[in-house]
Amino acid sequence: MLHYYMPTQLYSGLHCLDRHKADLLQMGKRCLIITGESSSRRNGSLNDVTTVLEELGIAYTVYDQIRRNPLLAICMDAGWKAHEFSADFIIGIGGGSPLDAAKAIAVLAANPDLSEAEFYAKDWNHKPLPIVLVGTTSGTGSEVTKVSVLTDSKGRKHSIHDPQLFAKLAFGDPAYTSTMPLPMTLSTGIDVLAHCAESYFNKKADEISRGFSIRGIQLLYRPLKKAAAGEELTYEDREQLYEASILGGLAINTTGTCFPHNVGYYLTERYRVPHGTACAVFEMDLLDYEMESDPEYTNTFYKNLGIDRDAIYELIGQCLPPLDIRFTEEELAEILPRWENNNSVKNTRGTVTCEQIGEILRDRFL
Ligand code: NAP
Ligand code: ZN
């Protein structure tokens, strides 16, 4: 059985924004630009966007308050700003954080009175404003997903999925990613591997999503190895990493992720571990579990990849920095229930239990 939907017009490649700027005219006359702290100024993406908007006669204002693991509360503030500015559409520029925030802000601009509960319950009276995304990391694939990951008022990360969160238009110029420091290239790169693997080993995987997963890892493998070895990346390497991140996004669009992503959210919330690293810490545990529970399916994964298990494990190991995290039994007992009825856990192929997650965490961090 196949299931596929992805309505975003995506352009990638050098100067793709300038080459396809005319598409922005269909979005409206006024927009709110959403960015993180400063990287979009340094990598040229913000300047490219504002130059194009000025050429096209589109009015804009910039909201640059989005930080890593964006807070819903900040998105609510930005939603009001968009509303007051009478924005016709939202442009998000940056990594997954500003892109995910832009999706939420598009909802909140059209429904500025929403409470947190109404937002998460998707109790939206008006449809979100059109969303345009400009990616500057090669990791999340948020440019092409219907997902927004936000931090709620209790400090918990939640992903919200809705077809209305797809961008109308997305641009990915790999040149913007060249300002990423090495640890960020590794963390975002290993996030791509995690998306592809967790999609492949998800109960919802189908022939289309598996195709994206396999090709995503194949594209990622060589340039990420090169980065992990400390070698300088060329534009072509960056392009390959970026395209792999898009394939990872297309894969998880159909399936969602498996337990490593959700367990990783906790490491990010509590210990500020960057997203990709936090999830990939558990990637070998997933692959080990799958090899044990369904060796035929798992061996086909490596065979289709054309990359063997040792090489994949070596790459994961090379991308993960040492983590100085120590749990106590009390902490473990307190957090384990959060994975009891969790979709990422339930959708992992096989039957992963909370006790098994407890053992993994105990092994790693106790
Ligand atoms: P990010 O959280 O967006 O950004 C991390 C850091 O990278 C920020 O400090 C940012 O700086 C900087 N940065 C961004 N682009 C840069 C560049 N080109 N050069 C130098 N620095 C740059 O990182 P991310 O890994 O892309 O996104 C992670 C978020 O996405 C997490 O919240 C995760 O849960 C979510 N996610 C979403 C999906 C989805 O489908 N929607 C999938 C997976 C993960 P500034 O603040 O200065 O911009
Ligand atoms: Zn991820």
Side-chain angles (χ1 to χ4, degrees):
M1 229 164 37
L2 299 176
H3 176 206
Y4 185 70
Y5 179 65
M6 207 297 280
T8 304
Q9 171 64 61
L10 168 74
Y11 296 112
S12 80
L14 205 55
H15 307 306
C16 58
L17 184 60
D18 192 57
R19 283 188 283 113
H20 299 284
K21 59 190 169 199
D23 284 31
L24 285 164
L25 287 169
Q26 303 152 20
M27 302 296 142
K29 288 262 155 234
R30 302 172 70 76
C31 78
L32 182 72
I33 300 176
I34 306 300
T35 73
E37 195 168 9
S38 59
S39 68
S40 62
R41 290 191 166 81
R42 283 181 280 116
N43 62 38
S45 52
L46 178 60
N47 186 55
D48 287 353
V49 169
T50 55
T51 302
V52 156
L53 293 177
E54 283 162 21
E55 279 172 31
L56 297 172
I58 296 173
Y60 63 86
T61 181
V62 178
Y63 186 91
D64 62 4
Q65 296 304 307
I66 304 302
R67 299 294 175 265
R68 291 166 187 230
N69 312 301
L71 300 175
L72 176 59
I74 298 288
C75 296
M76 287 176 161
D77 179 54
W80 274 110
K81 296 274 184 322
H83 181 73
E84 284 161 7
F85 185 68
S86 302
D88 299 318
F89 65 106
I90 306 293
I91 301 185
I93 307 176
S97 296
L99 302 194
D100 285 1
K103 296 175 187 178
I105 293 162
V107 174
L108 292 156
N111 304 276
D113 289 320
L114 283 187
S115 67
E116 179 169 321
E118 288 164 337
F119 175 81
Y120 280 117
K122 297 197 265 180
D123 199 357
W124 311 336
N125 288 324
H126 304 285
K127 66 178 172 52
L129 299 189
I131 302 160
V132 177
L133 300 178
V134 179
T136 69
T137 62
S138 43
T140 69
S142 179
E143 294 90 324
V144 294
T145 70
K146 55 174 185 265
V147 183
S148 170
V149 188
L150 302 169
T151 303
D152 71 12
S153 53
K154 296 195 176 77
R156 290 255 322 240
K157 276 173 79 95
H158 296 281
S159 59
I160 174 162
H161 302 231
D162 193 284
Q164 296 182 82
L165 298 178
F166 275 119
K168 287 259 180 302
L169 196 52
F171 298 95
D173 187 333
Y176 298 146
T177 68
S178 63
T179 53
M180 286 197 290
L182 178 62
M184 196 182 298
T185 300
L186 299 184
S187 173
T188 52
I190 206 68
D191 193 22
V192 175
L193 189 138
H195 294 161
C196 294
E198 291 177 42
S199 177
Y200 194 94
F201 290 103
N202 196 289
K203 286 176 184 158
K204 294 188 185 164
D206 64 17
E207 286 302 335
I208 299 177
S209 68
R210 278 191 285 264
F212 289 137
S213 291
I214 293 294
R215 191 66 194 129
I217 298 177
Q218 287 173 337
L219 275 181
L220 177 83
Y221 185 75
R222 194 195 46 80
L224 191 57
K225 270 303 274 178
K226 207 172 151 183
E231 287 177 47
E232 194 78 26
L233 297 185
T234 62
Y235 172 80
E236 286 69 30
D237 296 327
R238 296 268 175 209
E239 183 167 47
Q240 220 167 304
L241 287 175
Y242 185 76
E243 291 182 358
S245 78
I246 294 299
L247 294 185
L250 294 173
I252 56 171
N253 239 346
T254 299
T255 58
T257 51
C258 290
F259 76 81
H261 255 68
N262 213 277
V263 182
Y265 284 176
Y266 177 73
L267 296 189
T268 299
E269 288 164 16
R270 174 83 170 80
Y271 299 100
R272 315 306 298 162
V273 179
H275 169 74
T277 306
C279 304
V281 166
F282 306 109
E283 228 47 49
M284 291 189 238
D285 297 305
L286 171 71
L287 295 171
D288 283 348
Y289 171 79
E290 295 297 340
M291 185 58 96
E292 216 169 281
S293 92
D294 191 345
E296 195 184 334
Y297 187 81
T298 309
N299 280 320
T300 306
F301 168 71
Y302 292 114
K303 186 166 158 263
N304 289 343
L305 274 182
I307 307 169
D308 67 26
R309 176 174 156 157
D310 289 352
I312 292 291
Y313 280 34
E314 188 183 51
L315 178 63
I316 297 171
Q318 286 170 330
C319 289
L320 290 177
L323 294 179
D324 189 18
I325 295 176
R326 280 284 155 257
F327 281 20
T328 58
E329 275 296 348
E330 291 72 40
E331 180 178 356
L332 205 53
E334 195 185 309
I335 59 172
L336 273 185
R338 65 191 266 168
W339 294 297
E340 238 148 45
N341 205 18
N342 178 273
N343 281 337
S344 299
V345 177
K346 285 194 293 191
N347 290 334
T348 303
R349 277 174 65 94
T351 37
V352 177
T353 61
C354 247
E355 288 67 41
Q356 281 165 313
I357 291 178
E359 271 165 40
I360 291 169
L361 288 171
R362 213 171 262 116
D363 255 18
R364 291 245 176 288
F365 300 123
L366 214 69

